Amino acid sequence: MDENRGETEVEGGEASVVLRPQTPGRFVFASPHSGTIYPPEMGRDPALDEAGLRSAEDALVDRLIASGVAGGAMVVLGRFGRAWVDLNRDPADLDPVLIEGLADGPVSARTAAGYGVIPRLAGDGRALYDRRLSLAEAHDRILRAHSPYHQQLAAGMEAARARHGEAVLVDWHSMPARATQGVGGARGPDVVLGDRHGSSCEAGLTRRLRRAFEALGWRVALNQPYAGGWTTQRWGRPSEGFHAIQIELNRALYFDEQARAPGPGWSRTEKGVARVIADLLAGA
């Protein structure tokens, strides 16, 4: 490995933080949901506490994947909280129940459920607002947060393909333990890999990641219940040299969801994810 590869250039902006290695490889890591900024003009329901507001965050995922930059991956971290705007949604996926002034028309299943690009519900299912938002508010959030984040992501992917002939996006997320629990409350998978059922990346990438996580003793599921969101769908175009895969880490591995702090498994998980990342980026 190039001895300068681990040197990092950090770029800051309102919408995202970008970590750039001295010698970039073909990988781009992203964490769209680990942001914690909720502007005061959000105007959330006063009855909603901070725990509810932040219940959809991918807490600490930004810290878990930061080691990727040492292996040559560009790392893009969203700064705004997911309840403010969801960076893993189509920017056109607006919710007519929440936003005034929208024309009638079909909406996606996620938006109908309250989780569009500007969510109506918190991760725990409670209402985020006791009011409706104006269309101008919605457009301002997209322009302020969603668009610049995806501009950075696009620039990284296009530059990687120009340098190496292909670019690989790894979109990192976390999932609440309850999301994958089985019958009787049995713990579900530790990791879910989403490759849009084999369409968003070469099969070898999925197999390599599965082997790396299973080597840690972790249970791995494929595409159930998460096959990859809008970002994976957008960049998963292998025939054009763009590959994308989504990784969901079970928060039970590392996070105390009640205290909203690292749990007893934090150190083991941090080291384990770093091993997976090192394996993935070796020779990349």
Side-chain angles (χ1 to χ4, degrees):
M1 181 179 292
D2 189 312
E3 65 180 2
N4 293 321
R5 202 170 185 182
E7 295 180 7
T8 308
E9 178 183 348
V10 181
E11 297 179 5
E14 184 184 39
S16 61
V17 171
V18 180
L19 310 179
R20 298 186 188 276
Q22 187 71 22
T23 306
R26 60 192 177 100
F27 280 84
V28 176
F29 285 4
S31 177
H33 294 155
S34 55
T36 59
I37 295 175
Y38 297 91
E41 61 269 28
M42 178 176 179
R44 76 177 196 256
D45 187 336
L48 184 70
D49 58 18
E50 184 177 1
L53 175 69
R54 301 184 61 184
S55 57
E57 289 178 7
D58 287 342
L60 306 180
V61 167
D62 52 344
R63 288 172 55 181
L64 288 173
I65 69 170
S67 66
V69 74
M74 172 179 163
V75 180
V76 184
L77 309 172
R79 300 188 67 214
F80 286 103
R82 187 178 183 182
W84 168 259
V85 65
D86 191 330
L87 300 174
N88 197 29
R89 295 284 184 270
D90 187 327
D93 215 356
L94 296 171
D95 185 347
V97 176
L98 176 65
I99 300 165
E100 295 178 330
L102 288 176
D104 291 336
V107 298
S108 71
R110 287 187 178 276
T111 298
Y115 298 102
V117 64
I118 299 176
R120 172 168 32 98
L121 302 178
D124 62 8
R126 287 186 282 172
L128 286 166
Y129 303 94
D130 62 354
R131 65 186 182 94
R132 297 184 76 195
L133 276 59
S134 70
L135 189 56
E137 283 181 276
H139 286 162
D140 179 69
R141 292 191 194 187
I142 291 167
L143 288 172
R144 182 175 169 185
H146 194 284
S147 297
Y149 171 86
H150 283 283
Q151 287 167 5
Q152 291 280 16
L153 203 58
M157 290 292 285
E158 289 164 2
R161 187 180 67 167
R163 285 191 301 265
H164 301 284
E166 66 175 4
V168 182
L169 172 65
V170 183
D171 207 36
W172 294 83
H173 297 261
S174 70
M175 54 190 177
R178 67 179 184 276
T180 58
Q181 282 179 342
V183 177
R187 183 165 150 186
D190 298 305
V191 180
V192 177
L193 302 178
D195 62 5
R196 307 289 298 181
H197 301 282
S199 67
S200 68
C201 65
E202 60 180 11
L205 174 64
T206 305
R207 288 196 298 267
R208 186 173 181 181
L209 281 166
R210 181 168 194 164
R211 286 196 302 268
F213 280 115
E214 289 181 338
L216 302 175
W218 294 358
R219 294 172 297 240
V220 180
L222 298 181
N223 295 306
Q224 294 294 335
Y226 306 105
W230 181 74
T231 305
T232 306
Q233 181 179 12
R234 183 186 185 206
W235 285 107
R237 310 194 303 269
S239 64
E240 300 175 35
F242 293 117
H243 301 263
I245 191 166
Q246 180 174 292
I247 299 177
E248 296 272 358
L249 302 172
N250 194 326
R251 291 177 206 154
L253 289 168
Y254 70 91
F255 190 61
D256 184 330
E257 295 191 81
Q258 295 300 316
R260 295 206 58 79
W266 168 259
S267 179
R268 176 176 178 268
T269 302
E270 184 180 37
K271 291 174 183 175
V273 171
R275 282 177 56 188
V276 171
I277 288 172
D279 178 76
L280 179 65
L281 299 181

